[in-house]
Amino acid sequence: MINWQDAPIKWEEQFHDYGMTLVCANEIKDFSVFRTELGQLLQAIACAGDKAKLQALFQKEEYSHLERETAEAIAIMTDVDIVLNKLDECEENGGYDMCKGMEDWAKEEQEKGATRGKIEGKIESKLESIQNLMQNMKITAEEAMNLLGVPVEERAEYLAKL
């Protein structure tokens, strides 16, 4: 409701007091009742935060030819930045294929995981080498890291893990 007490004379005639319907995407049971892409948007929002549900959802036919605005809104509302960044690559026959975007997202996540795994593997291997040198040669961690050529700026990290 608008308080018109301090408003200039006749301003209230220029404004209408319309009702508002609020929709909670998580409470909708049947998204097929929507006749526009609002249904796809709300259904995607309901799956936000669950990568597996989003991937399954984007496999459906109705997500293969979305309007750009809908695809952007879905990417933003579900926090799937990779889909938003690669939207132009997902364009097919005048529509946007969310499935293709999700595939790119999954691939990028796998690549990140593989890179993280390699880094962690190298750290574990170096830690093992430091421990072996310390144990077999009866030397300190600092001496072992000198022998292995561990950069000075990385040594505190290794010392914390020993």
Side-chain angles (χ1 to χ4, degrees):
M1 296 292 224
I2 301 173
N3 182 355
W4 298 105
Q5 259 182 340
D6 298 327
I9 299 172
K10 297 195 179 191
W11 263 43
E12 68 269 14
E13 295 172 8
Q14 303 300 315
F15 294 91
H16 301 282
D17 198 4
Y18 292 109
M20 182 186 306
T21 303
L22 297 177
V23 178
C24 182
N26 295 337
E27 295 177 2
I28 299 171
K29 300 293 182 223
D30 182 12
F31 291 94
S32 66
V33 298
F34 294 94
R35 288 179 262 147
T36 66
E37 290 183 348
L38 178 62
Q40 283 96 330
L41 173 63
L42 291 173
Q43 192 169 15
I45 291 171
C47 296
D50 188 333
K51 185 177 176 181
K53 282 185 180 180
L54 280 173
Q55 283 179 321
L57 187 66
F58 292 161
Q59 295 291 329
K60 294 181 178 182
E61 176 63 27
E62 60 261 29
Y63 287 87
S64 64
H65 301 290
L66 296 173
E67 292 180 23
R68 183 176 184 93
E69 292 81 13
T70 306
E72 286 175 349
I74 289 172
I76 291 167
M77 300 283 212
T78 58
D79 201 25
V80 184
D81 295 339
I82 183 83
V83 176
L84 185 61
N85 295 337
K86 295 184 177 263
L87 211 49
D88 290 332
E89 297 171 25
C90 300
E91 185 175 10
E92 289 183 2
N93 301 325
Y96 292 84
D97 187 351
M98 295 303 287
C99 181
K100 186 174 178 185
M102 279 301 283
E103 288 170 359
D104 290 345
W105 180 38
K107 184 177 178 183
E108 187 172 292
E109 290 298 311
Q110 286 174 337
E111 289 170 0
K112 285 180 188 176
T115 301
R116 264 193 308 259
K118 287 178 185 177
I119 291 169
E120 289 173 10
K122 287 179 182 179
I123 290 171
E124 288 298 319
S125 176
K126 201 166 277 190
L127 274 171
E128 195 174 299
S129 296
I130 293 168
Q131 289 170 334
N132 286 337
L133 281 172
M134 289 170 59
Q135 190 174 32
N136 295 335
M137 297 183 71
K138 309 290 186 231
I139 60 176
T140 66
E142 198 64 41
E143 292 169 322
M145 287 188 275
N146 279 336
L147 289 171
L148 291 170
V150 176
V152 176
E153 57 274 2
E154 294 177 12
R155 292 182 183 193
E157 179 183 345
Y158 287 106
L159 287 171
K161 292 182 180 185
L162 285 174

